[in-house]
Each structure stands twice: as C-alpha cells, then as structure tokens.
Amino acid sequence: MKSQIHEQFEKHFGGEGSFYASSGRINLIGEHTDYNGSFVFPGAIDKCIMAEIRKNGTDKVRVFSIDINDYVEFGLNEEDAPSQSWARYIFGVCRETIKRGGKVEGFDAVFAGNVPLGAGLSSSAALESTFAFAINDMWENGIDKFELARIGQSTEHNYCGVKCGIMDQFASVMGKKGHLMRLDCRSMEFEYFPFDPKGYKLVLVDSRVKHQLSGSPYNDRRNSCERVAAAIGVEFLREATMEQLESVKDKVSEEDYMRAEYVIGETSRVLEVCEALQKGDYETVGAKMYETHWGMSKLYEVSCEELDYLAELAKECGVTGCRIMGGGFGGCTINLVKDELYDSFIEKAKAGFNEKYGHEPQIYPVVISDGAHKCC
Ligand code: GLA
C-alpha cells in the first residue's frame, strides 16, 4: 500500500512526504452504549487507512484518494467545505483542529486503505484519525490523543451528519497490539485488556450488505435514548435501571421503550463479559454476544435479514458467540469460534449464505493491532 501511495504522491505533487496510518476497529461487546455514557470493548485491527502528507506552504489542502480515484482542493475556512463526502472528513478534521486552537496550513496528501467500506469496521474513523494524528504531529499542536479522537467525533457530528459516540475514533487512535480496551464513555477512563483467547478464534463474517450511518436511522436511535433518559430524569441511560424504565412506560413510546430496554441490558452485558474474560470463561462471553445480537435485532432494530441468518447459522454450527457488530443496518457479524470448529463454520457460512443471497460473505480473521501512528 505504501509504495502505491508514494507513486501517486510523486505523480500529483512530486517529491515525498511523511506517512501516517490509523486502524479500523472491532468491538467485542457494548454496542450503541457509547452515546449512552456506558461501556464499550473495542480494539484496533490490522486494517488501516494510510496517508502520505507534506506541508505545501499555501493555504490550500490538496488531496488525492486512491480508492475513490478522486482529487479535491479546498481552503481552510468554514465556507470552503468541499461537497465530496470523503473530503468532508478531512476538511472537518482541519476545522475541528483549528477550533481547538491548533495550527493547520495547506498540505498535500495521498491516501488509500484496506478497511472495507460500509462493513461496520469504522473506515471513516480511521480516515479521521489518520489526518487528526498527522496534522497534530506536523504542526506540533500538542493535542492529546483523547482530544484527537474527539476531533474525529466532532467531524462526524458537524460535517458528516452522524451523531456518533466516541468508540470508533477512540479505538482507532488508542488501539494497542494484542489488547482490547474497556472504555467507560462517561468518565472516559479505560483499561487495556490482553486478548488472546486460547483455543478460540475471532472472525468477522461480512454480509456485504452495505451499511452507511449517515442517512440511516442511527441518529433516530440516539434521539430515542435521549428521550427516555429525560423521562427517567438521568443524564445517560447508563444510569437507569429496568425498574426505572418500567416506571415511565406510559410516558414514552413503545418504540423508545424497546430501545432503552436494549441499552440497559447491554450495559449489564459488557460488565458481565469483563468478569467472564477475567476468569477465561469464553462460554459466557459467547452467550452474551448472542444476547446482544438478538437485542440489536428485536429491540434496537438495527439488524437485517442477512445478519440474522448469519447469527442463526453460527448457532447451528456450534459457534460460541456471534453478533452483529458496529452501528448496524448491514456490515459484519463478529464470531468467537473454537479452533476445531473454525474451518467447518467458515465453509458452511460461505456456502449457506451464497445459496440464500447469491454471493459469498467476506471473511476477515481478526488481528488486534496498534492505533494511530507515524509510519517509519
Ligand atoms: C457506530 C458509531 C459508534 C457506536 C457504534 C455502535 O460505529 O460510530 O459511535 O455508536 O456505531 O456501537
């Protein structure tokens, strides 16, 4: 990927710049909990966005995207926002850096990536984090890593129309090889968890049903949660109990009630999974993953037929845990599979899915990797 990026950099701008990269992410459990002030359990993966970047001494940013095969130039004032959605991520990162008192001037960049788009692996967070990290480094702004993640999140809110939580950008920036992270999204305290489940593999099965959060009902889900939290009188749903939810049942819509029921259940599940992981009890971890899947499908309603099929198939194949991963509305399932069942599960998932939906799912074995960094 590096040599391909450099070839294009030379072609468009001549000479050479510095390389930066940031990863996509998985999430073991804790879905739609981040914007509810609750817990998530993500890790960065070995799929990234990489960019070659160099200051150009002007007030213009010039960027070429290899994967989209598109070139964009924009200025750094609010009114200079580009119309191309991919370029708005980069523009947003520049603006959010400036809003935090950071310096950004013109630069040239070429980027490419191998985070599958629309698979729920946070390709957009990887793009934001790559540029947030690079700009911070090049202009020596001294913005800390948490705030770099916030820059990506604010970019989504203010320039891309997705009111996302902090999980994706946090994982993309802070990821550490071989470790998952348990993040408390209210206090922003986090802990690295070494993750090497002996005898099991983690694998993603990508339905290739395209997921796109902007324009999807993602923001509606968030609004539902906020309405219920307000009805109960708590800041975040994380602070609410099932009893409190029950007590406002006649004040909230049936739909909002279901959304909150899922979130309150998911908060307990993340904590139960942490405890089980500490004991090496992967059977419990897996059982909770299935509970999350069906909660996301039946109560939160962010699954789809193809992903429900993959979860059912996983269960039939004896897979320990399986659930839809990420925001939903398509994308991947994450599967915890015993070593000895791995090959037969993958074979059955490919064949069964192909027969039903006319194409094979894509399989990605999970390798937990480092987050944002300057490449040597
Ligand atoms: C998307 C968002 C995250 C999070 C997940 C669901 O990936 O960007 O903030 O809400 O959905 O867990």
Side-chain angles (χ1 to χ4, degrees):
M1 179 160 39
K2 207 170 171 182
S3 59
Q4 196 197 2
I5 292 173
H6 184 60
E7 201 180 293
Q8 291 298 321
F9 192 91
E10 266 205 304
K11 183 174 146 200
H12 286 271
F13 309 116
E16 60 182 336
S18 304
F19 281 86
Y20 295 88
S22 199
S23 309
R25 62 103 190 88
I26 54 141
N27 184 28
L28 185 64
I29 199 151
E31 220 65 87
H32 290 275
T33 41
D34 53 359
Y35 54 82
N36 285 300
S38 188
F39 302 94
V40 291
F41 219 121
I45 53 171
D46 64 338
K47 303 202 180 314
C48 70
I49 300 277
M50 186 184 277
E52 183 171 2
I53 311 184
R54 186 184 56 201
K55 294 179 185 177
N56 63 18
T58 74
D59 56 1
K60 291 272 178 299
V61 173
R62 308 188 295 177
V63 194
F64 179 66
S65 160
I66 294 182
D67 302 320
I68 301 167
N69 190 23
D70 197 12
Y71 173 88
V72 166
E73 265 188 54
F74 54 80
L76 288 163
N77 297 313
E78 201 59 40
E79 62 274 16
D80 297 326
S83 54
Q84 292 86 338
S85 53
W86 67 267
R88 293 180 72 86
Y89 292 109
I90 302 168
F91 176 76
V93 165
C94 296
R95 290 297 310 159
E96 291 297 333
T97 302
I98 293 168
K99 286 182 202 168
R100 286 161 176 80
K103 186 168 173 183
V104 188
E105 294 161 334
F107 60 85
D108 297 334
V110 171
F111 73 94
N114 57 6
V115 189
L117 297 179
L121 299 178
S122 297
S123 49
S124 59
L127 178 59
E128 290 148 9
S129 306
T130 301
F131 279 87
F133 189 92
I135 288 169
N136 190 44
D137 190 59
M138 291 198 307
W139 277 277
E140 297 177 13
N141 285 327
I143 299 175
D144 70 39
K145 278 178 139 191
F146 266 119
E147 203 53 35
L148 293 181
R150 293 250 186 247
I151 285 176
Q153 184 193 23
S154 308
T155 295
E156 296 276 353
H157 288 198
N158 300 330
Y159 299 92
C160 311
V162 181
K163 297 281 180 205
C164 65
I166 191 66
M167 169 170 74
D168 303 352
Q169 292 78 11
F170 168 84
S172 185
V173 171
M174 306 294 280
K176 181 166 158 183
K177 199 172 172 179
H179 291 73
L180 295 180
M181 296 163 281
R182 188 185 72 177
L183 171 68
D184 178 331
C185 298
R186 188 176 58 186
S187 67
M188 292 303 283
E189 277 165 14
F190 75 102
E191 230 181 303
Y192 285 109
F193 264 72
F195 188 73
D196 181 20
K198 294 270 172 300
Y200 294 84
K201 288 188 186 9
L202 261 190
V203 61
L204 304 174
V205 179
D206 182 359
S207 64
R208 290 155 71 196
V209 174
K210 283 292 171 221
H211 118 139
Q212 196 189 5
L213 293 186
S214 61
S216 81
Y218 180 92
N219 293 346
D220 299 342
R221 297 296 182 281
R222 184 171 185 153
N223 292 336
S224 288
C225 295
E226 287 172 0
R227 279 194 295 268
V228 180
I232 295 176
V234 288
E235 188 185 358
F236 293 114
L237 271 188
R238 182 246 178 100
E239 287 137 26
T241 60
M242 287 293 186
E243 292 70 40
Q244 284 173 310
L245 175 61
E246 199 52 40
S247 73
V248 296
K249 197 165 187 173
D250 53 352
K251 290 198 205 121
V252 300
S253 71
E254 207 175 305
E255 196 176 271
D256 286 359
Y257 181 92
M258 279 159 51
R259 308 299 187 237
E261 186 182 347
Y262 162 75
V263 171
I264 295 171
E266 185 70 352
T267 296
S268 325
R269 278 190 289 272
V270 186
L271 296 175
E272 283 157 7
V273 161
C274 286
E275 218 174 278
L277 276 180
Q278 269 152 348
K279 293 187 209 140
D281 172 7
Y282 294 105
E283 292 307 309
T284 299
V285 174
K288 296 290 158 195
M289 290 169 75
Y290 280 111
E291 280 179 26
T292 296
H293 181 86
W294 294 111
M296 285 177 82
S297 175
K298 304 293 177 217
L299 296 173
Y300 220 62
E301 297 183 300
V302 293
S303 185
C304 58
E305 190 195 316
E306 290 86 344
L307 290 162
D308 286 352
Y309 171 77
L310 285 173
E312 273 160 9
L313 188 96
K315 188 83 190 166
E316 277 164 31
C317 293
V319 169
T320 307
C322 170
R323 66 176 195 82
I324 178 174
M325 193 185 72
F329 314 103
C332 293
T333 56
I334 179 167
N335 300 269
L336 181 67
V337 196
K338 283 207 177 96
D339 286 343
E340 62 269 25
L341 291 178
Y342 184 83
D343 290 342
S344 68
F345 165 57
I346 298 299
E347 209 175 290
K348 282 185 194 143
K350 281 186 177 170
F353 196 90
N354 192 17
E355 197 182 296
K356 208 163 157 63
Y357 300 109
H359 65 267
E360 282 192 359
Q362 199 74 41
I363 308 297
Y364 307 112
V366 172
V367 180
I368 313 228
S369 306
D370 285 327
H373 59 280
K374 185 171 186 178
C375 316
C376 2

